[in-house]
């Protein structure tokens, strides 16, 4: 008999029929002799609808009140799910984040979990043998106010509960696992049986929106047994773990693209010490994340520094740099917003020479030009023209995973 935490996303609980389906999955797990904590998201588009409602009233509402509002979505789905389980004659109780002891800091709308007081959940599980349904995405701060963890935060709630000695944490969603590429756009994309925490972290930050980034960080930290699977079809999903089985003969686990990227170039920068330091500390102070950086060789006492930022940050970055043009001593800024970052991710890369070359070969065969390259132990990223994105992903995927 184990303790299993099951998380169900918004589409999995979108209406009465789907809620009954979720109740059935929970009930089956319970009847197999497990203790079950289920963490639910708000139904369907509820969170977006609530944000819209707030805008109608006050577009500048305080984040405290926004959290008060947004936390209600999860209360609805949890209470309804508990009612569905009641009809099956099983003991069940639904709890809000604060009832379940989730203590967070006070960063409303992006709060971090600090601690979980487990007494209530424990006693419901052990003393009344109840199924416990907990609202995802929320907690309470030291002032006793409701906080939320940021969009998609229910995954993190689930993993946090699981970190307290659950045997398994299942993330039920509308896809049946993690794929080698986005199956909606790439032919031949295959489901992975297993993937490592590190690979999943890279893929999550590259825009594969299956799991909330912080949930993967937390799962790695506490070595939670994590599994992503579908609530619509009964079949095995993808296991996320510290060390994963290598897929036969493939050196990578996935290909991902990220469109939220833009390239800036400071052209004609004076070739002297301290410039890179100044540029990137300025951007850092404004919380503008820089990703790939390239500095050209100096010629005629000047050089170019190119780098990528999130596309949504580009205007702010340009304004900031222009403001300091005199002290940064550059000639002009060149901006390219129609670029995309395509990456391959694989824990096996470290032991396999030639993985990057293979990726570049695929792009060469497809006649696609590379603007920038960056690598880490488990990732190779290239910056390309946006128009080439889909073609590039397909070509790279074909190269590594066969036609
Ligand atoms: N309901 C919240 C959202 O839509 C949290 C979640 O679904 O994980 O972002
Ligand atoms: Mg989600």
């Amino acid at each position: 008999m184990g303790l299993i935490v099951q998380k169900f996303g918004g589409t999995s609980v979108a209406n009465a029929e789907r809620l009954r389906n979720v109740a059935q999955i929970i009930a089956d797990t319970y009847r197999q002799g497990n203790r079950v904590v289920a963490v639910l998201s708000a139904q369907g588009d509820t969170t977006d609808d609530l944000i819209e409602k707030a805008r109608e009233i006050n577009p500048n509402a305080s984040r405290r009140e926004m959290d008060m509002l947004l936390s209600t979505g999860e209360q609805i789905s949890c209470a309804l799910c508990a009612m569905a389980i009641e009809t099956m004659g099983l003991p069940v109780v639904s709890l809000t984040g604060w009832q379940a002891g989730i203590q967070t800091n006070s960063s409303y709308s992006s709060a971090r979990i600090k601690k979980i007081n487990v007494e209530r959940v424990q006693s419901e599980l052990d003393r009344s043998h109840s199924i416990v349904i907990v609202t995802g995405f929320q907690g309470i701060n030291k002032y006793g106010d409701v906080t939320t963890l940021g969009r998609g935060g229910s995954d993190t709630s689930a993993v946090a509960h699981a970190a307290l000695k659950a045997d398994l944490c299942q993330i039920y969603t509308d896809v049946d696992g993690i794929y080698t590429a986005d199956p909606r756009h790439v032919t031949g994309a295959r489901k992975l049986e297993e993937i490592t925490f590190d690979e999943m972290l890279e893929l999550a930050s590259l825009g594969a929106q299956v799991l909330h980034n912080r949930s993967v960080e937390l799962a790695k930290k506490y070595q939670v047994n994590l599994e992503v699977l579908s609530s619509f079809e009964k079949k095995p999903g993808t296991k996320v773990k510290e060390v994963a089985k290598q897929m036969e003969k493939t050196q990578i686990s996935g290909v991902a693209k990220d469109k939220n990227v833009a390239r800036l170039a400071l052209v004609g920068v004076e070739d002297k010490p301290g410039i890179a330091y100044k540029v990137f500390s300025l951007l850092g102070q404004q919380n503008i994340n820089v990703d790939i950086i390239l500095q050209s060789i100096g010629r005629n006492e000047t050089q170019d520094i190119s780098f990528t930022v999130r596309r949504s940050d580009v205007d702010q970055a340009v304004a900031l740099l222009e403001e300091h043009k005199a002290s940064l001593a550059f000639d002009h800024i060149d901006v390219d917003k129609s670029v995309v970052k395509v990456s391959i991710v694989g824990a096996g890369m470290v032991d396999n020479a030639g993985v990057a070359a293979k990726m570049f070969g695929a792009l060469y065969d497809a006649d696609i030009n590379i603007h920038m390259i960056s690598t880490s132990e488990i990732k190779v990223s290239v910056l390309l023209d946006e128009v080439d994105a889909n073609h590039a992903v397909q070509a790279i995927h074909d190269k590594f995973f066969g036609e």
Side-chain angles (χ1 to χ4, degrees):
M1 182 168 132
L3 171 60
I4 299 186
V5 175
Q6 300 182 315
K7 182 260 175 179
F8 297 91
T11 39
S12 299
V13 296
N15 54 41
E17 191 199 334
R18 289 187 183 173
L19 265 170
R20 276 196 208 102
N21 171 53
V22 162
Q24 193 62 55
I25 295 174
I26 297 170
D28 288 346
T29 312
Y30 180 83
R31 287 197 181 108
Q32 284 156 14
N34 300 294
R35 291 176 299 155
V36 186
V37 175
V39 175
L40 269 52
S41 287
Q43 292 184 283
D45 296 327
T46 303
T47 309
D48 292 319
D49 295 345
L50 290 170
I51 291 173
E52 195 42 47
K53 267 187 208 297
R55 279 212 188 101
E56 282 171 24
I57 299 283
N58 175 2
N60 302 312
S62 67
R63 294 204 290 167
R64 182 199 181 276
E65 295 309 328
M66 284 306 288
D67 280 8
M68 187 68 185
L69 178 69
L70 297 194
S71 66
T72 62
E74 271 70 10
Q75 270 194 59
I76 295 173
S77 53
C78 284
L80 291 173
C81 185
M83 293 173 194
I85 294 173
E86 279 177 349
T87 67
M88 301 167 169
L90 296 176
V92 61
V93 60
S94 66
L95 301 173
T96 62
W98 66 265
Q99 286 176 303
I102 306 263
Q103 298 188 352
T104 72
N105 66 13
S106 290
S107 303
Y108 296 107
S109 85
S110 57
R112 298 229 160 209
I113 298 175
K114 287 169 63 178
K115 189 173 165 231
I116 304 188
N117 282 338
V118 289
E119 287 99 71
R120 178 71 192 271
V121 173
Q122 283 297 346
S123 86
E124 297 292 353
L125 288 173
D126 297 336
R127 245 168 279 147
S128 14
H129 300 285
S130 291
I131 293 169
V132 182
I133 316 277
V134 184
T135 55
F137 173 59
Q138 60 188 266
I140 190 171
N141 66 14
K142 64 179 177 201
Y143 308 110
D145 286 339
V146 174
T147 55
T148 68
L149 309 181
R151 298 306 305 271
S154 297
D155 296 339
T156 299
S157 309
V159 173
H161 282 290
L164 309 165
K165 61 189 191 235
D167 299 288
L168 179 62
C169 181
Q170 297 180 311
I171 308 284
Y172 282 90
T173 175
D174 50 0
V175 293
D176 60 0
I178 315 290
Y179 277 74
T180 52
D182 186 341
R184 288 165 305 178
H185 299 119
V186 179
T187 39
R190 328 183 194 152
K191 190 167 84 183
L192 294 163
E193 218 177 297
E194 300 187 349
I195 187 170
T196 68
F197 290 125
D198 291 330
E199 290 171 321
M200 194 61 232
L201 271 174
E202 289 288 1
L203 289 173
S205 63
L206 289 169
Q209 283 169 343
V210 189
L211 287 175
H212 197 223
N213 225 344
R214 275 160 52 200
S215 72
V216 188
E217 279 169 21
L218 209 60
K220 180 175 165 68
K221 184 165 169 194
Y222 291 95
Q223 295 290 306
V224 171
N225 259 325
L226 197 62
E227 185 180 5
V228 176
L229 64 180
S230 164
S231 64
F232 301 120
E233 288 170 279
K234 218 177 178 156
K235 58 178 178 184
T238 301
K239 297 204 167 67
V240 191
K241 48 205 280 202
E242 188 61 35
V243 181
K245 270 187 273 179
Q246 279 277 108
M247 265 176 86
E248 235 180 307
K249 283 195 266 113
T250 60
Q251 297 142 323
I252 63 168
S253 290
V255 187
K257 71 169 181 221
D258 182 3
K259 287 190 170 188
N260 186 10
V261 53
R263 197 255 313 136
L264 295 182
L266 293 179
V267 181
V269 182
E270 233 179 278
D271 196 0
K272 65 175 189 193
I275 296 288
Y277 165 67
K278 273 191 215 157
V279 169
F280 297 113
S281 34
L282 264 177
L283 295 167
Q285 279 155 21
Q286 298 299 315
N287 267 326
I288 298 174
N289 255 321
V290 173
D291 186 23
I292 310 178
I293 302 176
L294 198 78
Q295 180 172 308
S296 71
I297 306 176
R299 55 192 135 65
N300 309 328
E301 268 100 67
T302 69
Q303 58 185 13
D304 304 338
I305 301 178
S306 312
F307 54 92
T308 62
V309 297
R310 272 190 292 248
R311 209 176 282 177
S312 40
D313 286 341
V314 71
D315 295 335
Q316 198 195 345
V318 171
L320 187 69
L321 295 167
E322 287 289 359
E323 206 180 298
H324 293 83
K325 186 168 180 180
S327 70
L328 296 176
F330 59 85
D331 182 71
H332 67 274
I333 305 179
D334 186 77
V335 181
D336 192 349
K337 293 186 192 178
S338 40
V339 287
V340 67
K341 186 170 75 169
V342 172
S343 309
I344 54 173
V345 173
M349 250 179 229
V350 261
D351 317 312
N352 277 296
V355 175
K358 193 164 169 179
M359 178 195 202
F360 304 152
L363 293 170
Y364 171 62
D365 291 342
D367 201 22
I368 293 170
N369 192 25
I370 301 172
H371 298 307
M372 291 170 111
I373 300 170
S374 82
T375 64
S376 78
E377 271 203 344
I378 65 160
K379 185 180 81 165
V380 181
S381 298
V382 293
L383 197 73
L384 311 168
D385 288 334
E386 193 172 357
V387 288
D388 291 330
N390 293 338
H391 187 191
V393 171
Q394 187 70 60
I396 295 166
H397 193 274
D398 287 350
K399 189 83 162 184
F400 282 95
F401 295 99
E403 253 76 54

